[in-house]
Amino acid sequence: MKKIGMLVAVEMGAVLSRYGTARAVEKRHGFEVHTYDMDGYTLYVMHSGAGEIAAAAAAALLIDRYEVELLVNFGVVGGLTPEMAQTKTCVVEKVVHYDFDTSAYDGTLPAQYAEYPDVYIPATASLVSRAVQIAPELRRVVCASADKFVDGQEAKSALHERFGADICEMEAAAVVLTCNRSGVPCLLIKTVSDGLLGGAEEFGAALAKTSALCLEVADKIIREL
């Protein structure tokens, strides 16, 4: 692959610490894009900001304007089970956009998009398998995604019980849905910043450390694809 896109919500500090100054930085439709010349490929890092709407627009821009052949989304997430404790790193196998609901008029399930047989939107299966080969410590997970920061055990447990989700965050549904509709493979690597009993305070305290850990794993996988 010659052109790889990396979509980053709030973890740009880790990118700049790891990769340094980009060859080029440009503004496109309100987003900032950092271009890095890597060994054998060009990496376009898009700073989207938080949330599904921004992530969908940024993903579409990477695909259309920069013609990326793979889109990688790394970042920090909330853990929804005791196993998904702080610093646990995982690869997203499928995502559920849990606040999406058109069931009242089209007969789908709440959280289901009509083009899929159930509520789960699959990431690129071959890349998930390859990521686990490269980094065997990765856990395959279901990600609950929506425009809401999930804070506290009760809300987190409810997402796990309803959808079987392991982690939660605010961009994955947009990334996977946009990539699938565009025919571009995607890979989502996530590290837990706040566990089942944690919330906003733990997230803030752990953001820098967990972002760096997540990018370290994502970078290793990208280089070995």
Side-chain angles (χ1 to χ4, degrees):
M1 294 182 181
K2 299 301 182 183
K3 295 181 179 181
I4 297 177
M6 178 177 284
L7 192 148
V8 183
V10 297
E11 301 87 357
M12 274 303 295
V15 172
L16 297 174
S17 293
R18 187 169 191 88
Y19 297 137
T21 303
R23 168 173 62 80
V25 180
E26 60 180 332
K27 296 280 190 178
R28 288 279 178 180
H29 302 290
F31 297 109
E32 193 171 83
V33 186
H34 296 242
T35 302
Y36 293 92
D37 294 320
M38 312 298 276
D39 185 14
Y41 61 94
T42 302
L43 182 66
Y44 299 97
V45 181
M46 175 80 75
H47 187 195
S48 69
E52 303 285 3
I53 295 173
L61 185 57
L62 280 169
I63 292 167
D64 186 56
R65 170 64 177 82
Y66 297 92
E67 300 181 328
V68 299
E69 301 160 75
L70 163 66
L71 201 155
V72 177
N73 173 225
F74 87 94
V76 298
V77 297
L80 303 181
T81 67
E83 180 184 0
M84 300 310 295
Q86 191 180 82
T87 75
K88 183 78 171 182
T89 301
C90 48
V91 56
V92 175
E93 191 165 42
K94 52 188 177 180
V95 59
V96 55
H97 191 183
Y98 63 88
D99 67 352
F100 178 81
D101 187 356
T102 59
S103 60
Y105 76 88
D106 64 8
T108 57
L109 297 170
Q112 181 184 5
Y113 282 82
E115 63 260 51
Y116 296 100
D118 53 35
V119 301
Y120 301 105
I121 308 169
T124 307
S126 59
L127 286 176
V128 173
S129 296
R130 182 62 180 138
V132 174
Q133 289 177 344
I134 296 168
E137 71 276 13
L138 291 178
R139 162 81 183 275
R140 299 170 185 247
V141 298
V142 176
C143 177
S145 186
D147 277 324
K148 181 178 181 179
F149 186 96
V150 182
D151 189 53
Q153 182 178 5
E154 184 177 354
K156 289 182 175 183
S157 294
L159 282 176
H160 172 67
E161 291 168 8
R162 183 179 178 190
F163 298 109
D166 306 283
I167 60 172
C168 62
E169 51 86 90
M170 298 175 63
E171 293 81 34
V175 173
V176 178
L177 189 65
T178 301
C179 285
N180 288 356
R181 288 177 172 177
S182 302
V184 173
C186 61
L187 176 66
L188 289 79
I189 304 297
K190 303 290 184 175
T191 297
V192 176
S193 58
D194 49 295
L196 178 61
L197 302 180
E201 184 175 349
E202 186 178 10
F203 167 84
L207 176 60
K209 178 179 72 174
T210 50
S211 296
L213 286 172
C214 193
L215 182 55
E216 181 179 356
V217 175
D219 182 70
K220 176 184 176 181
I221 294 168
I222 292 169
R223 292 177 185 275
E224 296 189 32
L225 286 176

